[in-house]
Amino acid sequence: MIMNNLGYPVLSTLIFLPVIGALLIGLMNRKHEGLIKVSALVLSLLTFAASLPIFFNFDKLTPKMQFVEWYSWIPAFNIDYLIGVDGISVLFVLLSTLVTILCVLISWNSVKIKVKEFFMALLLIEGAMIGVFCSLDFFLFYVFWEAMLIPMYLLIGVWGGPNRLYASIKFFLYTLVGSVLMLVGIVYLYLYAGRDFNILHLANLKYPLGMQLLLFWAFFAAFAVKVPMFPVHTWLPDAHTEAPTAGSVILAAVLIKMGAYGFLRFSIPMFPDAARAMTVPMMVLSVIAIIYGAVVCLAQTDIKRLIAYSSVSHMGFVTLGIFALNTQGIEGGILQMLNHGVVTGALFLSIGIIYDRTHTRQIADYGGVASVLPVYAGLFMLFTLASIGLPGTNGFIGEFLIILGGFTANRAAGVFAATGIIIGAAYMLWLYQRVFFLNVNPKVEGLHDINMRELLAVAPMAVLVFWIGLYPNAFLSFMHPSVQSLLDKVRPASANFSTLADFLRAVFA
Amino acid sequence: MSTYLLIPALPLLGFVINILFGRKLIRDKAHLVAIPAVLIAWAAAIYTVIGVVNGKIISEDLYTWIVSDGFRVSVGFLIDQLTAVMLVVVTTVSLLVHIYSVGYMHEDKGYYRFFAYLNLFTFSMLMLIMANNFLQLYFGWEAVGLCSYFLIGFWYEKKSASDAGKKAFIVNRFGDFGFGLGLMLIFITFGSLHYAPVFQAVGGIAGRTVDILGYTVSLPTVIALLLFCGAMGKSAQLPLHVWLPDAMEGPTPVSALIHAATMVTAGVFMVARCNPIFNLSPTALAVVGITGGVTALFAATIALVQNDIKRIIAYSTISQLGYMFLACGVGAYGAGVFHLYTHAFFKALLFLGAGSVMHAMSGELDIQKMGGLRKHMPITYWTFLLASLSIAGIPGFAGFFSKDEILWQAFAQGGVGRVLWVFGTLAALLTAFYSFRIIFLAFHGEFRGTHEQEHHLHESPKSMTIPLMILAAGAIASGWVGIPSIIGGENSNMFGSFLSGVVGRPAELGTHSQEMMVMGLSIGVGLLGILGAAYFYIWNPELPKALGRNFAFIHKVLWNKYYIDELYNFVIVRPTFWVASSIIVGTTDGKWIEGIVNGVPQAIGAFGQRLRKLQDGIVQHYADMMALGLFVFVAIALALFI
């Protein structure tokens, strides 16, 4: 049954339009590359257009799930096809549909082999990503969660850089190991609740503390790898570096958001006591990620690897905000997930633009790019500034709210997190200096500036940088009721562990 | 639409037009966009300031910027007396620097970019001073820092220039780290970041304490000191002053506008704006005053021995900013802002004069290679001389009135104030000396540069000399609005009365004879400094070298600016990079985490290789294994059940 005021299954459209599109492209003759590319572009544009009604018709006053569709799928196991979005997930559905267009545009000329399969994979990922953010049935969620892995694995393994095999297998294994623990957790919940996969039902049950703690860590394994949190972050630099531009963009913009999304959708509302009890370790890991990720950027020689490590640092801010467990922290965290998607996505798009011309990722191969490609340099500067959280850009709003939330929850966490913005400025400006300033490196001499197609691929991100930076309420207003309802669940503090013994007692009670 | 909104809006519009269309369409006409934008903004500012003088204070929100539960911040404006003073300074100096730049930058290939950044800077600075809340102040604060970064590194092909820009940004981030935390503590304490509610409720936190690492500390002190961290960065006070001398890599008009008259004074403005908070904490005030006093003297000693004309003036700026903080530290915020106001004119003039000299000398900065320039560039010489008389504190000139008021207020406070007064008076002696060292070395005597340079010497074009003359008028007359009552009679310190509604006025302490003594001494050291410079550089030109030889150690320390850059490099920069490359990339990430990550699959793989050997296809082996398995199984079963 369809429960929305649009009168048609809008979310299913978003999930299956790209999938059907991928199948259609699959039927095409691989020699007609132009047709394949145009089809992929049209499909991604159609999907984006189809997602706009969600943005405009979303009811910002209710924490309830919206645009819900509910069909029985496998009745024998109580598995439903149940999808919907709330204030936590809706923006990521929209980000996914936008980013896919940009990925199609940026890959136009840079993909030379297996063009047909590339665009199929891209559209399949889009469908799966949207599915992950919309699923309200655990079984369905897990299907999308794993389904997304395969095209992504192929994207890195087939169209990636020289070390792509190592990177893709590492990505796959890392994610899979984490997911398996989550699967155990899901099955346990299913049995405990009397054979029920419904996420909304499961979130309303009250679980014993020991069970909450075990499940919290089981889910943590999956989400922490995805975020990625320290110390399970080392797949990200390899995956980002070796992935083709579109792969890096999707990874940065959407895929790694799923870990943080998992905390918000499952870990916190389902295991609120455990989440509250675990705030200190979570904040410690977040702060380590912020500083560790930032410091390691200072030692990078590869542009993509540097941006990858900066993602570790930025996602540390996100998890810090989430586990501050207050409004500013969580809203800042969600907004920063969006911001990181926009800014890091844009940075990878931009790196792709110059890589297409020089075929090198080494910082030392650049220099003086601002003299040769002034428009490109200006755009890259904008994204650099957003990345270091300059007020007026989107990065500032997210970081400020997160540090404020973190500082409110735990003074030390706020203070340590704030050091990240100093190091952040250092590594980004140093990168910019080595690539764009100084004398023109012979390797970039004579390159032509950004063209119209490339400009179109990054322009939407530039608009979002200012839109969110100057009028963040346009986006924050989506979240308020959902975040409040989430906090209502977690607020009554019942568990408080001062020692490890308390913790163990609770687990084995 | 209110008139005052034009003040920030037009420079922003000018920036947008030039940055979008400057490179291909507008090019060398960029000033035709930028100057009218600032000119109209200046007119609107003067109009608004007249309103403030007549009691029309503006305070309103434009729109709600951020909402997150109880956290609610607007974009809004507050134009009171303090903002009015800043409006005059910022728009006037900005306008003159824009005009000057037409001549100074006329052949630069980044002409449009330069004017775009100048416009953006003006917008940002205006947002900073016109904000009605801390977060918008912070917006302006970071945005002026960004423009400073762009303009210091304007000639980005030069490594030294792009290094200096980066350094300015990062050093400022250290200050902003504290500033940002201060804002958060203000929000957590007061539940708002808007000035009005915070300053209204500020009395309620007097005596409140906060726990930091187990120590109980006064809450107002913590907030005030965190805010002051930001001020130390932006206003280049010890120990965060290191970026400002390097900032001289930027084009000279930038040094005049950003690194002398406006941006660097933002810290003083912020402390004056937050005076209700600082007033609650004698400790914080003492820190502000001592930092200012020590910086004033410290920077002046370095300025004594430098030869780069712009760096001398840069150290002079650090020193003069120190005076302003010294004033704030003794509670005389009005005197600090008064010095900010007069300093803007004479220091912008010094920088623009230096720019004029560089223009004539094909970029030469070393005053040892100049000499006798007054014959070739009389307007530059006379205006530079007036500015130097002003900064030296010669009676009648603007700098005299503001500096004297600071020294008197410090003296009158007693206690720490007396020590600060000694620092300030010593620094005044050095100020007069190094200022006239420039005059005598650069403008008097014989020319010491190359023949080619001498042949090229010329007075600068009108677009440059007219701003010099206007600023010279300011360097003389801007102080006349703040004549102490001991000279001018009742109500002659109009400046102090005008600001008293915002920053208060320290109680009248001390006697008339003391005030005369302080004033006399400050005039005396000013004259002594000038005479000393004449003695060293006109009458006994061999003396400085002899002194340098005899006190080689001191000279070396001063010449190397007390080795502070080297210290930071050794203590902060290099260890950080070492941790990044050796510890993290080399060890924790590289060996430990990756060791486990790659080790586990490898171990599983190796185990699989072993298991493969079991399936070697020899039936006998299989039978052996079955027997072994059965035996183990039975053994376990027996062990469990018997």
Side-chain angles (χ1 to χ4, degrees):
Chain A
M1 99 191 111
I2 300 167
M3 292 178 278
N4 69 48
N5 51 9
L6 291 176
Y8 68 97
V10 58
L11 294 179
S12 291
T13 311
L14 297 183
I15 296 171
F16 291 105
L17 190 59
V19 175
I20 294 167
L23 297 178
L24 278 177
I25 290 178
L27 296 175
M28 290 175 187
N29 187 334
R30 64 172 60 258
K31 281 182 189 137
H32 298 150
E33 289 189 0
L35 178 67
I36 290 168
K37 288 173 185 172
V38 171
S39 312
L41 181 61
V42 169
L43 280 160
S44 62
L45 283 169
L46 278 177
T47 314
F48 177 68
S51 70
L52 289 177
I54 298 180
F55 184 80
F56 292 110
N57 291 294
F58 188 85
D59 181 354
K60 295 178 181 176
L61 299 175
T62 173
K64 290 204 180 73
M65 286 296 164
Q66 304 184 36
F67 311 105
V68 173
E69 296 167 40
W70 195 345
Y71 307 96
S72 184
W73 181 18
I74 310 176
F77 295 100
N78 279 334
I79 295 170
D80 292 339
Y81 177 81
L82 172 58
I83 55 175
V85 288
D86 67 353
I88 292 170
S89 51
V90 59
L91 295 173
F92 299 101
V93 172
L94 294 162
L95 183 66
S96 306
T97 59
L98 174 65
V99 161
T100 308
I101 304 174
L102 312 184
C103 286
V104 171
L105 281 174
I106 208 71
S107 308
W108 207 260
N109 290 334
S110 56
V111 174
K112 308 265 193 255
I113 55 158
K114 297 193 189 346
V115 175
K116 179 168 125 177
E117 286 78 3
F118 179 87
F119 287 102
M120 284 173 70
L122 210 55
L123 290 170
L124 287 174
I125 294 177
E126 180 181 18
M129 288 191 305
I130 297 170
V132 167
F133 287 120
C134 294
S135 298
L136 298 175
D137 180 282
F138 251 136
F139 188 84
L140 187 65
F141 170 80
Y142 197 77
V143 167
F144 282 126
W145 179 271
E146 295 291 318
M148 193 182 57
L149 261 180
I150 298 157
M152 194 64 218
Y153 167 76
L154 293 175
L155 217 54
I156 302 173
V158 176
W159 293 275
N163 206 11
R164 58 183 179 270
L165 283 182
Y166 171 74
S168 58
I169 291 172
K170 195 172 181 180
F171 161 74
F172 197 84
L173 285 182
Y174 241 120
T175 322
L176 201 67
V177 170
S179 307
V180 166
L181 283 173
M182 178 172 72
L183 182 63
V184 174
I186 292 175
V187 172
Y188 187 37
L189 273 176
Y190 171 73
L191 296 174
Y192 183 89
R195 297 160 63 81
D196 194 347
F197 277 124
N198 187 317
I199 289 168
L200 300 175
H201 293 170
L202 293 172
N204 281 327
L205 291 180
K206 187 94 182 83
Y207 305 101
L209 185 57
M211 176 179 167
Q212 284 195 28
L213 286 165
L214 286 176
L215 288 175
F216 180 87
W217 285 105
F219 279 78
F220 174 82
F223 301 147
V225 165
K226 209 71 155 191
V227 167
M229 290 174 78
F230 174 87
V232 288
H233 61 277
T234 56
W235 65 271
L236 189 73
D238 286 311
H240 264 321
T241 313
E242 296 303 324
T245 300
S248 299
V249 174
I250 287 183
L251 262 180
V254 188
L255 223 126
I256 64 174
K257 304 295 143 19
M258 290 176 181
Y261 171 74
F263 287 128
L264 291 164
R265 173 68 72 226
F266 309 111
S267 303
I268 294 174
M270 289 184 183
F271 323 122
D273 302 320
R276 182 159 285 286
M278 287 300 127
T279 45
V280 173
M282 292 298 118
M283 285 178 130
V284 169
L285 286 178
S286 305
V287 169
I288 292 177
I290 291 172
I291 298 173
Y292 190 97
V295 171
V296 76
C297 284
L298 291 170
Q300 299 308 313
T301 53
D302 178 310
I303 306 178
K304 276 181 109 176
R305 219 176 163 79
L306 191 153
I307 303 297
Y309 271 110
S310 83
S311 289
V312 174
S313 182
H314 287 185
M315 291 308 286
F317 276 107
V318 170
T319 50
L320 174 68
I322 290 173
F323 283 99
L325 295 181
N326 52 37
T327 312
Q328 285 93 32
I330 293 185
E331 293 194 349
I334 299 172
L335 192 69
Q336 192 63 3
M337 284 158 71
L338 190 66
N339 290 340
H340 178 265
V342 169
V343 173
T344 310
L347 285 170
F348 278 120
L349 286 169
S350 306
I351 294 168
I353 291 171
I354 194 89
Y355 181 82
D356 282 350
R357 290 161 172 63
T358 60
H359 298 286
T360 171
R361 298 186 311 251
Q362 293 304 311
I363 297 171
D365 288 337
Y366 291 94
V369 172
S371 305
V372 186
L373 296 85
V375 177
Y376 173 74
L379 284 162
F380 203 98
M381 174 51 82
L382 174 66
F383 299 127
T384 299
L385 296 175
S387 173
I388 63 181
L390 200 86
T393 67
N394 57 351
F396 172 70
I397 313 285
E399 273 182 12
F400 190 85
L401 287 174
I402 287 168
I403 299 176
L404 179 60
F407 192 70
T408 310
N410 183 323
R411 296 283 188 272
V415 172
F416 282 115
T419 60
I421 63 168
I422 302 177
I423 317 172
Y427 67 73
M428 283 310 284
L429 293 184
W430 193 37
L431 171 72
Y432 197 89
Q433 181 191 26
R434 287 178 291 169
V435 173
F436 290 88
F437 293 158
L438 310 177
N439 290 319
V440 178
N441 190 307
K443 290 187 181 160
V444 298
E445 241 165 55
L447 298 179
H448 57 91
D449 208 338
I450 186 168
N451 63 32
M452 192 45 81
R453 172 180 59 80
E454 293 162 337
L455 188 64
L456 284 175
V458 292
M461 299 304 212
V463 171
L464 280 167
V465 163
F466 286 121
W467 188 2
I468 305 177
L470 298 174
Y471 193 62
N473 288 339
F475 298 87
L476 286 169
S477 58
F478 279 88
M479 307 166 195
H480 298 319
S482 297
V483 170
Q484 281 320 312
S485 122
L486 177 66
L487 281 171
D488 288 342
K489 284 208 175 88
V490 78
R491 213 158 255 151
S494 55
N496 197 357
F497 308 111
S498 43
T499 64
L500 185 66
D502 288 345
F503 170 73
L504 294 174
R505 216 169 290 132
V507 171
F508 295 108
Chain B
M1 190 89 169
S2 320
T3 317
Y4 76 87
L5 285 177
L6 289 176
I7 306 172
L10 287 172
L12 177 64
L13 185 68
F15 162 73
V16 171
I17 292 174
N18 264 332
I19 204 76
L20 290 182
F21 306 109
R23 195 169 56 90
K24 287 204 168 142
L25 293 176
I26 306 175
R27 288 182 298 198
D28 57 344
K29 304 282 185 297
H31 59 278
L32 295 182
V33 175
I35 293 179
V38 179
L39 180 68
I40 302 172
W42 175 79
I46 297 301
Y47 174 80
T48 310
V49 169
I50 291 170
V52 175
V53 172
N54 293 326
K56 187 170 162 272
I57 288 173
I58 294 165
S59 171
E60 60 187 25
D61 285 346
L62 198 62
Y63 73 93
T64 308
W65 184 17
I66 311 175
V67 179
S68 177
D69 202 21
F71 182 79
R72 187 173 281 271
V73 182
S74 301
V75 170
F77 298 93
L78 167 67
I79 303 175
D80 60 358
Q81 290 86 348
L82 180 60
T83 303
V85 171
M86 297 300 291
L87 275 178
V88 173
V89 170
V90 172
T91 55
T92 308
V93 178
S94 173
L95 179 61
L96 293 173
V97 167
H98 272 79
I99 295 168
Y100 179 94
S101 302
V102 175
Y104 192 83
M105 300 295 290
H106 71 102
E107 274 172 347
D108 199 280
K109 68 182 164 64
Y111 192 74
Y112 81 97
R113 211 158 46 87
F114 188 77
F115 277 98
Y117 293 156
L118 279 189
N119 266 192
L120 181 66
F121 170 77
T122 308
F123 159 75
S124 310
M125 191 69 204
L126 290 165
M127 289 299 278
L128 190 163
I129 60 173
M130 293 168 75
N132 73 349
N133 64 76
F134 283 100
L135 209 63
Q136 190 180 328
L137 168 81
Y138 192 74
F139 164 82
W141 190 269
E142 294 287 295
V144 291
L146 174 72
C147 299
S148 162
Y149 164 77
F150 283 153
L151 286 164
I152 295 169
F154 183 74
W155 291 306
Y156 56 78
E157 301 90 346
K158 262 174 81 185
K159 183 156 190 318
S160 57
S162 60
D163 275 344
K166 189 179 65 180
K167 181 174 174 183
F169 198 96
I170 295 168
V171 171
N172 267 292
R173 277 257 158 148
F174 276 89
D176 296 344
F177 166 75
F179 190 19
L181 291 176
L183 298 195
M184 289 175 196
L185 206 51
I186 287 176
F187 173 74
I188 291 170
T189 308
F190 298 98
S192 176
L193 278 178
H194 281 253
Y195 295 150
V198 170
F199 295 148
Q200 246 154 38
V202 80
I205 66 161
R208 265 178 64 187
T209 56
V210 59
D211 259 14
I212 293 179
L213 302 170
Y215 293 93
T216 308
V217 198
S218 145
L219 180 60
T221 303
V222 175
I223 294 178
L225 289 180
L226 285 173
L227 293 178
F228 185 57
C229 281
M232 288 196 289
K234 190 103 327 186
S235 296
Q237 296 296 290
L238 272 173
L240 297 180
H241 66 286
V242 288
W243 65 271
L244 186 58
D246 288 17
M248 297 303 121
E249 290 285 343
T252 307
V254 170
S255 312
L257 176 62
I258 302 186
H259 305 120
T262 58
M263 182 187 83
V264 289
T265 64
V268 182
F269 166 78
M270 189 259 280
V271 171
R273 174 60 83 203
C274 299
N275 70 84
I277 298 175
F278 281 85
N279 284 337
L280 292 177
S281 169
T283 316
L285 279 180
V287 171
V288 173
I290 293 168
T291 306
V294 171
T295 306
L297 189 56
F298 161 87
T301 57
I302 298 177
L304 292 178
V305 300
Q306 303 299 317
N307 284 332
D308 177 323
I309 186 168
K310 282 183 72 183
R311 283 188 193 240
I312 300 173
I313 308 175
Y315 279 105
S316 163
T317 304
I318 298 175
S319 172
Q320 298 299 311
L321 290 164
Y323 275 103
M324 300 174 205
F325 284 111
L326 191 165
C328 294
V330 297
Y333 304 98
V337 176
F338 187 33
H339 198 55
L340 184 166
Y341 167 75
T342 59
H343 174 259
F345 294 100
F346 62 71
K347 188 53 64 66
L349 176 52
L350 286 174
F351 268 121
L352 293 186
S356 179
V357 169
M358 284 168 68
H359 199 70
M361 298 275 302
S362 324
E364 181 61 65
L365 284 161
D366 189 342
I367 51 174
Q368 302 290 358
K369 293 180 184 154
M370 298 175 186
L373 296 181
R374 75 186 147 140
K375 290 182 291 249
H376 302 279
M377 28 196 346
I379 300 175
T380 304
Y381 169 67
W382 280 105
T383 52
F384 203 94
L385 180 65
L386 293 173
S388 300
L389 289 167
S390 192
I391 195 176
I394 299 308
F397 292 89
F400 164 74
F401 296 105
S402 54
K403 192 187 285 182
D404 180 63
E405 193 181 343
I406 291 173
L407 292 176
W408 166 237
Q409 296 287 2
F411 182 90
Q413 291 301 307
V416 183
R418 288 284 159 88
V419 181
L420 295 177
W421 168 72
V422 173
F423 275 57
T425 307
L426 280 175
L429 173 68
L430 303 182
T431 305
F433 181 87
Y434 67 68
S435 299
F436 277 82
R437 178 171 171 257
I438 302 179
I439 295 271
F440 296 139
L441 281 178
F443 292 98
H444 290 255
E446 290 303 311
F447 188 72
R448 297 180 297 275
T450 62
H451 273 295
E452 205 181 323
Q453 280 174 328
E454 188 165 18
H455 186 69
H456 182 71
L457 289 176
H458 60 279
E459 182 58 283
S460 297
K462 281 212 171 58
S463 66
M464 289 166 70
T465 51
I466 290 172
L468 291 181
M469 291 187 274
I470 297 173
L471 283 171
I476 302 169
S478 65
W480 297 349
V481 292
I483 297 169
S485 51
I486 194 167
I487 301 175
E490 199 79 16
N491 299 328
S492 62
N493 187 353
M494 294 179 289
F495 197 90
S497 334
F498 181 63
L499 277 183
S500 60
V502 184
V503 299
R505 255 186 141 162
E508 299 270 344
L509 295 168
T511 62
H512 277 275
S513 56
Q514 282 175 328
E515 193 171 351
M516 292 308 284
M517 185 275 288
V518 167
M519 190 183 290
L521 197 62
S522 96
I523 297 170
V525 295
L527 291 171
L528 187 65
I530 295 173
L531 285 175
Y535 182 76
F536 271 66
Y537 297 102
I538 292 190
W539 301 323
N540 293 298
E542 290 307 308
L543 196 56
K545 285 189 192 111
L547 264 179
R549 276 195 302 275
N550 291 337
F551 297 92
F553 175 72
I554 296 176
H555 185 265
K556 207 170 165 209
V557 169
L558 293 180
W559 176 252
N560 288 297
K561 308 133 194 168
Y562 296 90
Y563 295 98
I564 291 178
D565 276 318
E566 286 76 6
L567 178 76
Y568 288 170
N569 195 28
F570 192 72
V571 175
I572 299 172
V573 180
R574 280 169 53 188
T576 308
F577 278 99
W578 180 74
V579 166
S581 54
S582 300
I583 303 280
I584 295 188
V585 175
T587 311
T588 57
D589 238 42
K591 284 203 188 113
W592 297 352
I593 299 177
E594 287 289 82
I596 294 169
V597 168
N598 292 326
V600 170
Q602 273 165 13
I604 293 172
F607 187 60
Q609 292 293 331
R610 297 243 175 108
L611 280 183
R612 249 173 58 172
K613 287 186 188 147
L614 295 178
Q615 305 181 3
D616 52 8
I618 301 169
V619 183
Q620 231 176 4
H621 288 174
Y622 291 172
D624 290 348
M625 293 308 292
M626 277 168 70
L628 185 69
L630 190 67
F631 175 77
V632 172
F633 183 75
V634 171
I636 293 171
L638 286 175
L640 284 176
F641 293 107
I642 295 177

